Structures are given as structure tokens and as C-alpha cells.
Amino acid sequence: MSISKQSRDANRTAEVSDPADEARLEEVLKTVPKGALTLAGIALGLLLLAWLAVYFLIFLPRGPIS
Amino acid sequence: MDEQEIVKTELRWGMVVAAAVGVIVAVIIVSSFVLAMHPPSHVETIDPTTLSKSREFAEGNLGTRLNPDGSVTVRIIATQYAFVPRCIPVPQGRPVTIRITSPDVIHGFIIAGTNANTMVVPGYVAEVRTVFKDAGDHLMPCHEYCGFGHSEMWSLVRVVAQSKWHNDENGRASCETSR
Amino acid sequence: MEERAVKHRVEPLVLAHIGVAFAMFAVAAVLGAWQMMARSPFGAPYASPETYFASVTAHGTIMAYVMPILFIMGFGYFVAVTALDRPLPSMRLAWTGFWLAAVGICMAVATIVMGEASVLYTFYPPLTGSVYFYLGLVIVVVASWLWVALMIWAMAAWKRENPGHPVPLAMFATVTNAILWLWTTGGVAVELLFQVIPAALGWTQTIDVGLARTLFSWTLHPIVYFWLLPAYIAFYTMAPQAAGGRLYSDMMGRLSFILFLLVSLPVGLHHLFMDPEHGTGFKFVQTMLTAVLLAPTLLTVFTICASMEIAGRLRGGRGLFGWIGALPWDRPMVLATGLAFILLGFGGFGGVVNMAYGLNAMVHNTSWVTAHFHLIFGGSVVIMYFAITYEIWPKLLGRQPLSLKHIRGQLWLWFVGILLTTLPWHALGLLGQPRRVATFDYSNPAIASWGPWTEASVVGGFIMLASALLFVWNLATLYRSSPDVDRMRYAIAVNPPQRLPKALNGFALWNALVLFLMVAAYGYPIGQFFLIDVHPALVHHFESGG
């Protein structure tokens, strides 16, 4: 067994969570990512609105360019 | 939740992202084809070391000139550290083409409050086409670092109402005669 | 023997890189605040065009090149050792890189201080400074290439020892960034070696300015992703862990980093929208490619929000947004991530304006551009550099910090400062304020209206300066507490990958794609200078008076 595999296995034992944690995670994953989708969606929507506002309310009225 | 479900959710979000980016891209494409909104991209080379000998950019030919078709062409030289001429009259509401070049280093200008903007690269004639909607004075600073005198490099663009426009028999206009 | 937080003797190496990076950062921060005063109605002592533009050159060179390169090298070494749990392939090579970088930095900074290199960090030939400035920077870049080699070597060696196993995401992303950097430096390297340095040496009297600008644009966009990717590495592999959650999707993380590698390179022409040496065709093509580049950031925003949502709900957060409040905001990495996302929103908005083809004409070379890159880089990215440093500093010194309050306070100060500095610049940009001006004539009524915005910005600048100095102070003085430090733990995915296709575990395919995209996007724009009849400009040497 190479040293790195030993440490890897040791790391894995340290990281693997117990069954209670896994159960909580499964429970939580039933709702995730509704909140994230909403938050990210709102942020993206605001970004798009702000860009459209700058484009149509400030840029175009300043005149043509080419 | 297995990875397949997670990837499916990520792809759903990816479609929302694609739609949003699609709106932005659509607006850009329609503007450029329908409204002819483009960044100034006229590629024309010129020898920066012999500008004073060129007919178009000789000092006597710089400035504003009304063309037979009613449009206006402005010829400017950008140099360390001034635009020549320093005061530039343009008519309100008519197509204006600005042709500008430099014999020395990189400059650039924006006409404040408008979309007129370009880099001025020695070796090229930059051409900017626009229409000035409102009468009034606009600052025209050099907006690219061109050396220690960069901060002093400003011209003034005077957008003159049609009724007040005046040019001589050759179509030339200057800030003094157009107020 | 007591277990060390970081094995494999890499602490001095990482501390050296990050220490020098932030020492120079502090100097550049002082210069930045001084510059802001100089160009405001307040005025500043010792201000003149000569001192101002030397300062801008120093500030830009340090903040855009020296600080990020050193920080990213140091962080990369840290990740390579802790994520792969093996020593670096060659400590000698790594230290050679550090000392080489140090030599290059000294050369470049010396010439700036002597006033012989006031050409700004963007160089802008035909303005030409001392050859030692450019040579110094070339040496720094070569040093960074040694780092690139070590990152690739480390990953390859680990893969040999762990056949078929997924490379840990933190290292995969670090190597992505290293490869990205290698491609990025191509443009500026060719510009410096074949055009600018021969001109600075007096071997050539003319220079093809269009070609130089185009080569520099090749570097100018992907370099910002080189800066950005370490922040994203923290988002993916450190924030979920700090929040007590899991990374929503490891695979999407890999895809995002790959997308950055592919699409951040062939888009540099959007920095040349206003340039007369390129036509609409390729400017348009690169606009469309830039639009694609929005995707990996927007994907990341969602994936990280989902990861944080897991953490928040595990802590009892309920409802659509309750998980946000439930997050452990007292932890610096969590706080910084939240603040960074807000700054990313503002900065990203500015970027989408800049990249929108014709719309660029409204803002090019005004303070809007200055606002955008200070906000996105100085804001969202540097705040994550702070967070990363706070996270790994205990591992490097073997000591916990005495107070998290000082750390959080410094982060909040930075957040407030960057917003107060950059939001007024957006307004000033729309009013037409040009960039890189040493002093304004505020007695001119048209310019007078810019005064109050500039003054607000100066206040923001000094808040940022206070935060920058507090950061360095925190690093130097806070880490005195108990020597009980855990080893580095990276976030675990909801579904940790067991096996991955080669494409998500290596770069052969992606390098080939990058080559294809670069030829398609830049082939003609660069090649044209050898085909059309160009008239080069005369070289303008600075030492002779500018």
C-alpha cells in the first residue's frame, strides 16, 4: 500500500459522515434547491432588467453610432 | 438525491441562463442590423509620419465641413497634447462623420453625453458616424493615456441648432461663426 | 510527533508568496488612495503629472500583475499539497520561481520609482519606457510559468499514483487556472519580446501599434479570469465546507472551470471595440463568444447558492429564504462569500454593459470602465483572496486567530469601501469623465458637477485603504492563539465522484479546443497585420521627456 493511498483512506474515514447526518442530508435535499433557484433567478432577473434599462433608456436616446 | 437529478436541475437553470443571455444577444443583434448600431470599425490605414503632407489632414483642411448631401464631415488630428481644432461645431439632427488620426501616440475621445467614442491609433484613420440630438456644448476629452500632458487634452463640441447654423461657401464652419 | 496542519514542508514557500503579495498590495493601496485625492477637488500633496502617472503605473503593475501572480502561485502550492496529500514534485523549482519573481519585481518597480516607466500596466506603445521595466515583468511571467509546470506535474504524478480516480476538484480547478494562465501569457509575451523590448532597446525605431494592441488584448481578458478562478475555487471547495454544507454538484464545478478555460481566451477583442484596426466582423464574433462566457459564472452562482442552501437548511433554516439567515455568517469564509456575491452582481452588470458591442461606445475609457474592474476584481475577487488567506493562515502558522471580530470587521470595511468608491465612478462614466487624468479643472462648470461624485469616491478609497492596512495588520498580529489547528478540509460534494470521464479529469481535449477557438477568433485579427499595408508608428521614448 503506497503512503498516499494510506493517507487517502485515512482522510476518507475522517470525512465520511455517520448515518444520522446522511439521513438529515437526504431530508434537506427534498427542498433544495428551491431557495437557490429563486434567489439566483431573482438576481438574474434584476441583472437583465438593469441592462435593458441602460440599453433602452440611456444608450439608444444618446444617438446612433457606427 | 442522485447525481442525475442534480444535473437535471442544473440543466434547467442552464436553460434559464441561456434564455436571459439570449435576450441580451437578441437585442444586440437587432440593434446592429436594424438600427445600424455598431462600434466604429472603419479600417483605413494612413502613414502617421507624413500626415502634415497628406491632403485630407493638412492643417488647413481640418475642422467641420458641410457636404453637398447635407451631411457633415469633421476632420481632426489628435496629437500630444491637443485635438486640432479645439472647438468643433456640428449641426443638430444631421448625420455627422468624424475622421480622426494621430501622427504620434495612441489617443481617444468621447463626446460627453453622446455615444461618439473612438480610439485614435497612429497608422489608422478612425471614423465615427453619429447624429447629435440636442443642441448645446459638450466636452470632448482625450480619454486614453498619451503622456504627461494627457490631462490637458480637451476639445469642445458645439451642437448648433439648424436655425443658427452658418457655413461659408466651401461648406466650412467654425465655432466663431456658428453660435 | 505532533501532527502538523500542513504536511510536506510547504509553509515557508506559501507564506513567502502570499506575504510579499500583500505587502506590495498595501503599498499599492496607499498609492491608489493618493491618486484618488489628486484627481478630486481635494487635491493631494506632491501631485504632478510625473508623479501621478508613475503612481498609476505602480498601482496597476502591482495590483494587476505582482499581487495576483504571487498570491495565486502561493495558493496553488497550498492546494497542490493539501488536496493531493503529497509533496510538491520539486521544492527547488518552486523556490527558484519565487526568487526569480522577486528579481523581476525589483527591476520593474525600480524603473517605475525612477520615473522611467510611466507607461501604465497596459504599456500602450508607441509610448516606450525603460527596457528594464518590461524585462522585469517578463522575468515575473517566466517565474509564473515554473509554477504552471509544477501544478501540471503535481497533478500528473498524483494521477499516476491514483489511476482512474477523480482529481480532487480544488486541484483540478487550480490546474485549469494554470493552463489558462499559460495560454493567457502568449499574447503579451509575443508583444513584449518581439515588439516592445526591441523598441525599448532602440533596435527598432517604429512599431506596429495595431498588432501590439491586438496581442495585448489576447492577454487582457483571460488574465481577469486567471485572477477570478481562485475566488471560484474558494466558492466551490471552501465555502460549502465553512458553512457546514455540501457542494451541490462536483461535476458542474468541473464543467464551469472548463468553460472558463475555453471561452475566456478568444474574446479579447471586446477590449478593442473602439479600435480602428478591426472591422465589425470579428468584433461581432467575439461579442457572441463573450456572451457564452456569462454562462459559467451564472451556473456557479446557482450551484453555490444551492450548496449554501443545503448548509442553511441543515442548520434549521425553513421556507424559501430562511436558510440564508440560518447560515453561520460569523465565519469569515461564509461572510466573504455572501459579500462577494453581492459585489459580483454589481460588477457583473457593469461587465455585461461593456461587452454589448455598440453599447460599449457609451462607456469606453470613461470612469465606468474603471468602476467595473475595480468592483469585480478589487471587490468580489480580492475579498475572496482575503477570505482564502484567513482560512489558510492558521494552517500555515499552526495558530488560531485571537479574534474573528477583527477579521469580519476588515471584510465589512472592504465591502463598504469598494461600493462607495466604485458606484460614483459609474455615474461619472455616464457623465463622460475620461480615464487616466491626473487633474481636473473643477472651475469649468461642465466639470464642476463631477466634483461631489469624485469626493464621495475618495471617502470610499480611504475606507478601502484602512481595510487593506487592517488586513495586513490582522495577518501579522492576530495569529497568536492556541496551536490546535486542524488540517485543511475541502468541501465534499453531495455525490462525490467515483469515476470521471477523461474529459472531466484532464485537459488534452480542452487544450485542443482552445487552440481551435484561438485560431478561429484571433487568426485573422492578428494575421491581417502581416497581410494589409500597415504603417508603423514612431517609437516614443519616455526617458527623453515623453
Side-chain angles (χ1 to χ4, degrees):
Chain A
M1 229 196 226
S2 70
I3 291 175
S4 54
K5 188 171 191 308
Q6 261 177 335
S7 340
R8 233 190 322 111
D9 285 352
N11 288 356
R12 215 170 276 146
T13 334
E15 313 308 15
V16 164
S17 37
D18 63 70
D21 282 344
E22 284 296 328
R24 282 228 65 217
L25 183 62
E26 278 305 313
E27 190 60 38
V28 154
L29 284 171
K30 291 188 186 139
T31 340
V32 170
K34 287 206 189 74
L37 277 169
T38 315
L39 184 62
I42 292 174
L44 183 55
L46 288 173
L47 180 79
L48 191 57
L49 270 168
W51 187 86
L52 290 168
V54 168
Y55 203 91
F56 288 99
L57 300 178
I58 309 179
F59 172 56
L60 289 184
R62 287 192 177 192
I65 178 76
S66 63
Chain B
M1 190 189 270
D2 73 359
E3 192 65 11
Q4 262 193 355
E5 274 178 67
I6 288 180
V7 172
K8 258 205 291 203
T9 312
E10 293 268 5
L11 284 177
R12 260 175 51 212
W13 169 251
M15 295 206 285
V16 173
V17 168
V21 174
V23 168
I24 291 173
V25 166
V27 169
I28 292 175
I29 291 179
V30 169
S31 302
S32 64
F33 284 111
V34 173
L35 301 175
M37 302 287 272
H38 294 278
S41 308
H42 170 87
V43 184
E44 179 185 329
T45 58
I46 191 170
D47 188 346
T49 58
T50 58
L51 271 189
S52 50
K53 302 198 203 89
S54 90
R55 261 196 319 174
E56 183 179 12
F57 290 98
E59 183 139 17
N61 201 37
L62 298 176
T64 309
R65 172 174 267 143
L66 182 69
N67 303 316
D69 66 0
S71 68
V72 160
T73 303
V74 183
R75 291 171 175 88
I76 307 174
I77 292 263
T79 180
Q80 287 173 316
Y81 295 104
F83 293 108
V84 183
R86 274 204 155 94
C87 186
I88 299 161
V90 289
Q92 179 186 14
R94 294 224 222 117
V96 175
T97 298
I98 300 172
R99 288 173 58 77
I100 180 168
T101 185
S102 166
D104 49 31
V105 301
I106 300 169
H107 302 270
F109 74 81
I110 183 171
I111 300 177
T114 76
N115 290 329
N117 191 333
T118 185
M119 298 302 289
V120 183
V121 178
Y124 296 87
V125 178
E127 196 175 278
V128 180
R129 275 169 254 129
T130 187
V131 175
F132 294 96
K133 304 252 160 134
D134 302 308
D137 284 353
H138 295 265
L139 291 168
M140 181 177 134
C142 176
H143 65 20
E144 187 52 89
Y145 178 59
C146 52
F148 292 144
H150 169 63
S151 315
E152 320 302 321
M153 191 166 165
W154 301 70
S155 270
L156 187 76
V157 171
R158 177 156 289 153
V159 182
V160 181
Q162 307 267 25
S163 51
K164 301 216 175 77
W165 183 259
H166 177 81
N167 53 260
D168 66 18
E169 64 275 7
N170 293 318
R172 310 293 308 279
S174 75
C175 281
E176 288 73 40
T177 56
S178 271
R179 290 201 150 272
Chain C
M1 182 155 112
E2 145 194 322
E3 242 244 348
R4 289 155 73 220
V6 180
K7 300 186 218 161
H8 314 299
R9 306 171 303 131
V10 86
E11 294 97 320
L13 181 71
V14 178
L15 285 167
H17 282 81
I18 297 186
V20 174
F22 285 120
M24 305 232 47
F25 166 80
V27 171
V30 172
L31 292 176
W34 176 84
Q35 283 159 222
M36 293 181 65
M37 265 185 75
R39 61 195 285 283
S40 78
F42 299 131
Y46 308 114
S48 73
E50 288 78 7
T51 54
Y52 184 83
F53 290 114
S55 182
V56 175
T57 305
H59 177 85
T61 301
I62 294 173
M63 293 302 204
Y65 299 138
V66 174
M67 184 275 286
I69 289 175
L70 283 178
F71 174 81
I72 293 168
M73 286 169 72
F75 181 45
Y77 291 132
F78 181 86
V79 171
V81 164
T82 54
L84 299 183
D85 199 18
R86 72 191 301 283
L88 284 181
S90 167
M91 285 297 284
R92 188 179 298 166
L93 199 62
W95 277 110
T96 305
F98 174 76
W99 289 111
L100 206 54
V103 166
I105 291 166
C106 287
M107 270 175 81
V109 170
T111 56
I112 298 172
V113 166
M114 293 196 295
E116 289 177 9
S118 296
V119 293
L120 312 189
Y121 82 99
T122 35
F123 313 146
Y124 285 168
L127 286 175
T128 308
S130 158
V131 69
Y132 296 105
F133 174 64
Y134 307 111
L135 280 175
L137 291 176
V138 167
I139 291 172
V140 173
V141 168
V142 169
S144 72
W145 286 342
L146 296 183
W147 168 81
V148 168
L150 279 167
M151 294 296 100
I152 296 174
W153 188 359
M155 180 168 133
W158 185 91
K159 282 174 82 172
R160 256 200 315 278
E161 291 167 7
N162 299 272
H165 288 273
V167 176
L169 180 60
M171 189 58 184
F172 181 79
T174 297
V175 178
T176 307
N177 203 25
I179 293 174
L180 170 63
W181 179 239
L182 197 57
W183 283 104
T184 300
T185 48
V188 75
V190 170
E191 183 203 359
L192 287 179
L193 292 174
F194 292 100
Q195 292 193 279
V196 175
I197 288 176
L201 285 169
W203 293 352
T204 54
Q205 273 69 52
T206 60
I207 188 164
D208 182 343
V209 181
L211 175 62
R213 286 178 69 74
T214 306
L215 287 171
F216 191 72
S217 81
W218 162 345
T219 295
L220 193 54
H221 202 76
I223 193 173
V224 319
Y225 285 92
F226 170 64
W227 300 334
L228 184 76
L229 254 48
Y232 280 42
I233 292 172
F235 289 154
Y236 278 99
T237 68
M238 295 167 85
Q241 179 71 10
R246 303 273 279 253
L247 172 60
Y248 188 62
S249 170
D250 174 281
M251 187 162 87
M252 288 312 293
R254 279 166 212 268
L255 271 171
S256 292
F257 286 105
I258 288 164
L259 272 172
F260 281 121
L261 172 61
L262 290 177
V263 197
S264 65
L265 279 152
V267 296
L269 234 51
H270 70 229
H271 294 263
L272 300 180
F273 275 144
M274 295 295 114
D275 273 54
E277 70 269 12
H278 294 289
T280 51
F282 277 93
K283 287 181 185 176
F284 188 79
V285 164
Q286 296 209 9
T287 303
M288 295 299 115
L289 285 169
T290 310
V292 175
L293 191 51
L294 294 173
T297 288
L298 292 170
L299 288 172
T300 298
V301 167
F302 168 67
T303 304
I304 303 308
C305 280
S307 310
M308 297 309 244
E309 187 181 353
I310 293 174
R313 291 193 190 282
L314 281 174
R315 294 171 66 85
R318 296 194 166 301
L320 209 49
F321 297 123
W323 55 276
I324 300 175
L327 285 169
W329 294 107
D330 59 315
R331 297 178 195 168
M333 178 58 71
V334 178
L335 176 64
T337 300
L339 297 178
F341 268 42
I342 294 172
L343 296 173
L344 193 60
F346 285 111
F349 160 70
V352 183
V353 166
N354 293 340
M355 59 73 80
Y357 198 58
L359 179 52
N360 183 262
M362 187 177 76
V363 296
H364 176 70
N365 263 0
T366 66
S367 297
W368 177 283
V369 176
T370 315
H372 163 70
F373 67 77
H374 278 85
L375 186 49
I376 196 109
F377 177 46
S380 37
V381 171
V382 168
I383 210 172
M384 292 310 291
Y385 286 5
F386 294 154
I388 289 168
T389 308
Y390 284 134
E391 195 72 18
I392 72 178
W393 218 241
K395 326 279 182 201
L396 296 169
L397 296 180
R399 298 267 160 188
Q400 294 285 11
L402 288 167
S403 148
L404 288 185
K405 251 209 315 217
H406 285 74
I407 291 175
R408 286 195 300 268
Q410 186 265 321
L411 292 171
W412 272 110
L413 214 54
W414 189 257
F415 175 74
V416 168
I418 189 74
L419 282 174
L420 188 54
T421 301
T422 59
L423 291 181
W425 277 343
H426 286 95
L428 286 167
L430 291 177
L431 291 173
Q433 187 187 61
R435 284 178 76 181
R436 295 157 166 178
V437 166
T439 172
F440 289 102
D441 175 15
Y442 289 102
S443 67
N444 180 331
I447 297 178
S449 63
W450 300 354
W453 293 105
T454 318
E455 287 166 348
S457 214
V458 170
V459 175
F462 274 89
I463 294 176
M464 288 180 75
L465 177 59
S467 175
L469 296 176
L470 180 55
F471 174 68
V472 175
W473 179 256
N474 282 346
L475 290 185
T477 64
L478 276 184
Y479 292 81
R480 302 262 166 95
S481 183
S482 66
D484 172 31
V485 182
D486 295 329
R487 59 181 183 71
M488 184 69 193
R489 280 190 174 80
Y490 293 97
I492 308 170
V494 169
N495 298 300
Q498 301 302 323
R499 293 202 86 82
L500 283 174
K502 270 214 200 111
L504 291 180
N505 215 31
F507 298 95
L509 170 63
W510 309 122
N511 277 320
L513 259 175
V514 168
L515 181 61
F516 170 76
L517 286 168
M518 286 304 277
V519 171
Y522 264 106
Y524 180 75
I526 290 176
Q528 65 164 355
F529 298 105
F530 301 95
L531 300 172
I532 67 176
D533 203 14
V534 257
H535 298 277
L538 290 173
V539 172
H540 273 65
H541 287 277
F542 245 94
E543 299 103 314
S544 52

